[in-house]
Each structure stands twice: as structure tokens, then as C-alpha cells.
Amino acid sequence: MRIAVLDNELCNPKKCSYECIAACPVNREGEECIYIGPDKFHPQINESLCIGCGLCHKKCPFNAWYIVNLPEEKKESPIMQYGVNGFRVFGLPVPFQGVVGLLGPNGTGKTSALRILSGQLAPNLGMVSEGRSKKDVYESLMKTHRGTELQNYFERLLKEDVKSVYKPQQVNLLPDVIKGTVKEALKNCPDEIIKQLELSAVLDRKLSEVSGGELQRVAIAAALAKDADIYYFDEPSSYLDVRQRVNVAMTIKKLAEKKLVMVVEHDLATLDIMADRIHIFYGSPGVYGIVSQPYSVRKGINNFLDGYIPEENVKFRDPLQFEATNEKKPSKTAAVAFDEMQKNYDQFSLTVDPGIIYQNEVVGVLGANGLGKTTFAKMLAERQDVKISYKPQYLDSDFAGTVAELLGTADRQDKIIMRQLGIERLMEKSVKNLSGGELQRVAIALCLMKDADLYLLDEPSAYLDVDQRMALAKILKSFGTVLIIDHDLMLINYVSDKAMLFTGEPGIRGHARVMTLNEGLNEFLKSLNVTFRKDPQTKRPRANKPDSVKDREQKEQGKYYL
Ligand code: SF4
Ligand code: SF4
């Protein structure tokens, strides 16, 4: 089955001569395969006539068409299709007593699935032109899912008997829509939840003044405070440090003892702790997404990393490898050396021991939020004697122009980076309209495309999916000298040659030292009282269940990170 999808944001008939229509060989034979659609502006493709030659995509100045063959076995209709040549989603995750994890690239339908299951979006079963009544659609779905948990769920959706709560992905946008203090935003939230999510100290602060990690916990607390049947958490770990991720994972797990819970999460270590089942989403981002059957957490994550689901005989990409090979050798020449550094402000003090970052080294920065990691990054960024390129933690999308205008001229190396980060298709998009993940990739490219002695990346994994995190990790492995602050332990473990560990009391005092990666990870996890082992199949780090045999054994041996 072949599908044609038009990216409406890229298609701009004002700036072209309908090259796509002129190029189509089927049209030249006299049939109407590609034509101007009912809006008298954008083109449309009749998929049943299309022979898949791809000329419309090649000739379009903006590559706005995607012509894609679906996997052989995908014969059923989509559950949702957005317009005649629009994005489509096949299948749905199944609500279940426990935490259901949704794992897959951005743009493969996770949000659509959540909106359908919450009753916000009525599925159309791919019938974009004929209007079918809601009753008709749900009855048809109940028939196709007879005998499964989804049959009962669709019955409840039809009766409008499902109360749902959604924790959105981009928590940094919350202060734009909710004004006032944290206390006002959480006025109906029980004290127990506020305490559990460690928000008591920020209750009197304005939402516009709290950090990303605090905003994330406010959004989670606000969702937990509501009474609903099903709870959706879209990327609950962004901006949280590792200890907070474990805490949030355990809180969501507890909620799932009584309620249905679904979570979209790209930090595999957090997902591993939290989920009871996994649905894999795969496909072509922005074009189509397919939802797998549910799997156990280990199987689901491992199949996802392998890019292959043996039970469904589907291969959707090459495996993602977690055992990094060093493609560049750190040299013994210092890129940046620093003597003891000290910074005091308000009630916070930071001390950094003397250290050296050698050329071509990647230093992974570990530590809780509030210990001065970003302060240290800013102190380095202010130095005049070293050229530093800095990607800040919070991204500004105020630039009034396109991505191409923001990035400027690109040399050969820059173009490789842009391709690896999947930015080529974003070039004509306006920076203001980018999603969180798109903006993050553009900000990373902007940082890496500058000429510098040291590249400082503050939380580059926020809003990136697993494939994008691995693409970033591969770039950094063969790039220059990098200092990366991030809370995704898999990413840090993969890219880093050395660690810089921040310890102390959050918001009061921080102390930082450079050390070997193993020492850093071990000491850091010891401070959290959490142990990790390596999955024998994929070599990815997995958190041990608290108080399990492995957890106890590793703690006795002092090996918090195996
Ligand atoms: S798809 Fe491309 S060539 Fe066709 S109308 Fe749109 S911008 Fe023009
Ligand atoms: S893929 Fe080829 S046949 Fe299909 S619409 Fe484009 S140009 Fe025409």
C-alpha cells in the first residue's frame, strides 16, 4: 500500500510553479493523479493512480511531498487520517491496569493516540471525505476489537463515560497560559502530593520565576490532583534530575495501582522503572505511525532498540547500539584548564576544584538540579581566553525568520551535522512554529556549527526522542571538545570520556570535581541509593528494582554502576 502525504507547512504554491503537477508521468499520460485540490491552492494526489516514482517530491523546490510504501502487512485502514493526503495512524495502545509506556519517535502518532483515547479526538477510520457519525465509528471499532480491553473502552467513550487528565509535553509554555503563583496553580492539590513532589519551598513563587524542573513537577502535581479514570503523562522526565525522575516514576507507578495510566517517555532508564507494558510506535515521522502490540517492558525496549519486532515480523530500522566505539581519541593537549573557581550569590555558593578538559574529550556533567551546573557552564561561557559555543538549557524561539535564516551559511561539516540531526526538512519553517524537539535540534546545530574550542551543551536531550538522542550521541563521539550537562544516564554513559560530578545541597551549596566516568557514575548513583546494571542483550543501563537481589548484591560490593 502506497501513501502520499503533503507537508502543508512546506508546500508554498506562491513560491513555485506547481512543479510537482508538471513532473507527474501519470498526469502526462492524461490521468488526474496529482491536481489542485478543493482549496484551489494546494495540490492533492490520488493515491490509487500514483505509481510511486517520487518525481513530485524531487521536483518540488521544498520537497513537500512524501511518497511512502507502507509495510506489506499493513492492510487495515488507519484509525485516524488527517485529510486526503495527511498523516495517518494505524492501531491504538490498549489501556490497562498499570503503567502503559508509549515508545517511539516524535511524529509517529503518540499524541493522536492519547487524544483519541481521552475522547478529545473522534477517530475517522481513514474516511476523510464521508462524514460518519460518532456512534457509527465507535460501533465499528467495538466490532473490530471484540473480546479485547479496547471493546469496553470504546463502549465507555461512546457513552462519554471516560474522564481523562493530560500532562502536556512542553511545560516551559505553562507560564504563558497560567498566571500567578505555584500555590494558585495547585490550589486543589493535596499537601501529600506537594510534599511528595518536593514543591513546598516554591509555593509562593510565580510560575514565570520557577525552573523547568519545578514547572515539570507543578504540571505533574496538577494532573495527579484531578480525579479521572485515565491519566496521560507526556514526557514527565524532561528537566528533572535523576533522583527526581526516580521519584516521579515511583509516584506515577503508585497512581497506576488504582487508575489507568499512559506515559510517553524517551528516557529509557526512567521508562524502565515506571512502565508495566510497552507499545512501540514506528513508521515515518509526519507521514504515518503504526502501534505495535503490547510487550513486557524489557522486551518492548529491547525490540525498539533492535528496530525489529520478531513477534510481528517487522523491521523498522537498524539497531541502535549502546556500546560506543571511540571514533576520536582525546589528546593530551588542554582545551580548557581552570583553577579553583568560586561563585557566591543570594544564599548559594559554588566551588569547582581545579581541572583540565583535554582536546577532543567529552565530559559528562552529573548531579542533581540546584547544585550549580548551569552556573558553572555560564562562568566558562564568559571566559575571554577560550572560544566557547553554548547551547542554553531553555530555548528562545523569538527569532522572526526561518530556520535557514537563523542557521546562516553552512559548510560541508555543518551540512553533515544538519543531516544527522534531521534539520534539512525544517529549513523553510518559521522558527516560531517549531515544536520543542525541532527547536532543540536547531539550537544544538546552531551551537555545533560555530567555531569554538569548547562546546557546552546544557540539557540537549530535552524533547528529543530516542533516535534523535542516539543521532546526537554519534555526532558528539566524533566531534570536538564537549561538556554536556544532561540527566539521561544512557546518553551520558554513551558519549562521555570523563565525568564532572556536582555534589552538595541543592540551592545552598555545590561542589564540582572532574573524575573518570566510572567513578563519577558510581559516586553519583551511590548518592541516590540507586543501582544500575547492563542489559545483556543491548548493553543499555537498566535500573535495578529497589531491594532486589541484584540491587543488594551491587550495593554490598559498592558497585552502583555495572
Ligand atoms: S508541493 Fe511543491 S511544487 Fe507542488 S505546489 Fe507545493 S510547493 Fe509547489
Ligand atoms: S509519485 Fe510519481 S506518480 Fe505519484 S504523484 Fe508523484 S509524480 Fe505522480
Side-chain angles (χ1 to χ4, degrees):
M1 185 180 161
R2 179 173 305 115
I3 60 170
V5 172
L6 182 69
D7 187 327
N8 272 312
E9 259 190 84
L10 290 183
C11 172
N12 188 353
K14 279 189 191 152
K15 287 194 185 166
C16 76
S17 323
Y18 288 104
E19 284 90 339
C20 58
I21 298 182
C24 180
V26 181
N27 276 33
R28 278 196 259 124
E29 290 294 315
E31 297 204 72
E32 270 227 316
C33 176
I34 176 164
Y35 51 91
I36 296 178
D39 68 359
K40 300 202 172 32
F41 191 53
H42 291 97
Q44 281 190 349
I45 287 178
N46 179 341
E47 289 171 358
S48 61
L49 292 178
C50 173
I51 57 171
C53 70
L55 281 173
C56 50
H57 168 82
K58 274 194 210 133
K59 295 288 178 185
C60 168
F62 311 112
N63 301 133
W65 280 108
Y66 298 89
I67 309 292
V68 178
N69 288 322
L70 288 181
E72 269 300 298
E73 41 309 309
K74 214 18 75 195
K75 299 228 163 46
E76 85 246 33
S77 309
I79 183 116
M80 186 67 203
Q81 180 171 341
Y82 294 85
V84 174
N85 294 125
F87 173 72
R88 44 211 98 173
V89 188
F90 296 84
L92 276 178
V94 184
F96 147 91
Q97 198 69 58
V99 179
V100 178
L102 312 186
L103 178 58
N106 291 332
T108 49
K110 296 186 295 296
T111 305
S112 296
L114 293 186
R115 290 187 63 218
I116 291 173
L117 290 174
S118 64
Q120 283 173 38
L121 178 71
N124 61 9
L125 308 181
M127 282 167 248
V128 285
S129 35
E130 336 154 18
R132 281 179 76 178
S133 71
K134 188 171 150 190
K135 184 166 181 286
D136 195 21
V137 168
Y138 283 119
E139 279 174 356
S140 163
L141 282 168
M142 270 140 57
K143 221 170 176 182
T144 36
H145 293 88
R146 188 171 291 146
T148 71
E149 287 111 320
L150 274 175
Q151 182 191 359
N152 295 338
Y153 197 81
F154 288 130
E155 260 172 41
R156 291 183 61 191
L157 275 179
L158 180 60
K159 287 190 224 146
E160 297 185 355
D161 179 32
V162 180
K163 259 201 276 170
S164 64
V165 168
Y166 178 64
K167 195 294 292 171
Q169 181 209 41
Q170 278 182 272
V171 290
N172 50 317
L173 302 180
L174 285 182
D176 297 341
V177 279
I178 308 172
K179 304 290 169 203
T181 62
V182 171
K183 196 193 268 170
E184 282 157 359
L186 296 180
K187 59 177 180 295
N188 299 322
C189 188
D191 286 350
E192 192 195 338
I193 296 176
I194 291 175
K195 234 165 141 187
Q196 170 76 18
L197 293 176
E198 298 169 349
L199 287 166
S200 314
V202 294
L203 283 176
D204 293 323
R205 289 218 216 132
K206 284 196 178 141
L207 277 180
S208 54
E209 286 164 4
V210 300
S211 70
E214 284 155 354
L215 273 181
Q216 180 70 267
R217 283 175 286 137
V218 169
I220 294 169
L224 293 171
K226 290 190 184 130
D227 180 34
D229 305 299
I230 185 158
Y231 293 74
Y232 301 101
F233 295 92
D234 203 347
E235 298 190 34
S237 78
S238 304
Y239 298 123
L240 299 186
D241 65 31
V242 177
R243 193 184 57 79
Q244 291 163 341
R245 286 176 193 213
V246 174
N247 184 27
V248 159
M250 300 313 283
T251 307
I252 292 178
K253 224 173 162 44
K254 185 134 192 36
L255 171 74
E257 287 169 9
K258 293 192 185 123
K259 304 284 183 174
L260 302 172
V261 178
M262 281 198 182
V263 179
V264 173
E265 182 54 64
H266 301 300
D267 177 341
L268 298 184
T270 306
L271 187 65
D272 206 356
I273 300 173
M274 184 165 44
D276 297 296
R277 272 184 179 191
I278 299 269
H279 283 277
I280 299 169
F281 281 65
Y282 59 94
S284 177
V287 181
Y288 75 93
I290 298 176
V291 187
S292 79
Q293 296 299 314
Y295 294 103
S296 70
V297 179
R298 180 167 182 262
K299 201 178 243 308
I301 295 181
N302 286 358
N303 284 351
F304 172 74
L305 292 173
D306 281 347
Y308 176 57
I309 309 174
E311 295 77 4
E312 298 174 40
N313 196 22
V314 172
K315 178 170 169 39
F316 52 91
R317 66 155 153 64
D318 290 333
L320 298 176
Q321 305 285 354
F322 272 90
E323 282 214 303
T325 50
N326 246 353
E327 286 157 36
K328 54 165 193 180
K329 292 270 167 280
S331 82
K332 280 290 153 207
T333 311
V336 189
F338 42 88
D339 297 329
E340 186 178 278
M341 291 160 86
Q342 187 82 36
K343 182 96 180 172
N344 299 303
Y345 59 87
D346 298 335
Q347 284 147 1
F348 180 74
S349 73
L350 170 68
T351 310
V352 182
D353 286 0
I356 299 176
I357 301 172
Y358 292 101
Q359 282 177 6
N360 282 344
E361 232 175 18
V362 180
V363 178
V365 178
L366 298 163
N369 283 336
L371 291 178
K373 298 191 298 302
T374 300
T375 306
F376 170 69
K378 285 183 179 158
M379 284 161 80
L380 279 187
E382 279 163 11
R383 273 175 64 160
Q384 301 296 320
D385 58 327
V386 220
K387 250 197 279 170
I388 288 176
S389 180
Y390 176 50
K391 186 212 76 75
Q393 182 184 17
Y394 302 114
L395 308 172
D396 192 358
S397 61
D398 280 353
F399 183 79
T402 63
V403 172
E405 285 162 351
L406 177 67
L407 293 179
T409 333
D411 65 16
R412 201 177 143 266
Q413 174 66 22
D414 296 339
K415 284 183 183 148
I416 296 174
I417 291 172
M418 278 152 63
R419 198 185 56 237
Q420 287 172 309
L421 289 171
I423 283 177
E424 286 156 321
R425 289 195 71 91
L426 306 177
M427 298 304 271
E428 292 305 315
K429 293 196 177 181
S430 154
V431 174
K432 282 192 171 143
N433 293 337
L434 296 178
S435 69
E438 289 170 341
L439 191 61
Q440 184 68 271
R441 284 180 287 142
V442 170
I444 294 169
L446 194 62
C447 171
L448 298 183
M449 283 164 65
K450 288 191 185 135
D451 180 33
D453 303 316
L454 175 69
Y455 295 88
L456 253 169
L457 299 170
D458 200 346
E459 297 207 25
S461 78
Y463 305 136
L464 296 191
D465 63 37
V466 177
D467 295 57
Q468 290 161 348
R469 287 173 197 214
M470 290 307 285
L472 169 66
K474 288 215 168 91
I475 295 172
L476 298 185
K477 280 310 261 183
S478 56
F479 203 69
T481 316
V482 180
L483 191 90
I484 174 171
I485 302 173
D486 209 279
H487 298 297
D488 183 335
L489 280 188
M490 261 182 250
L491 178 66
I492 290 291
N493 173 62
Y494 185 98
V495 293
S496 308
D497 301 302
K498 251 175 17 191
M500 185 167 188
L501 178 66
F502 281 70
T503 50
E505 251 183 283
I508 298 172
R509 58 183 172 81
H511 177 225
R513 285 167 302 141
V514 177
M515 56 184 70
T516 68
L517 181 63
N518 245 347
E519 276 171 345
L521 283 167
N522 209 47
E523 208 176 301
F524 175 54
L525 292 173
K526 191 174 180 183
S527 69
L528 302 177
N529 201 26
V530 177
T531 58
F532 272 71
R533 66 188 189 283
K534 266 190 190 155
D535 181 77
Q537 191 183 332
T538 59
K539 311 294 177 212
R540 70 185 162 93
R542 297 193 69 192
N544 292 316
K545 288 223 159 49
D547 215 29
S548 63
V549 177
K550 278 219 156 57
D551 182 55
R552 275 183 277 129
E553 260 174 26
Q554 283 183 226
K555 280 177 182 163
E556 269 162 34
Q557 294 164 3
K559 290 180 177 165
Y560 284 74
Y561 194 80
L562 268 187

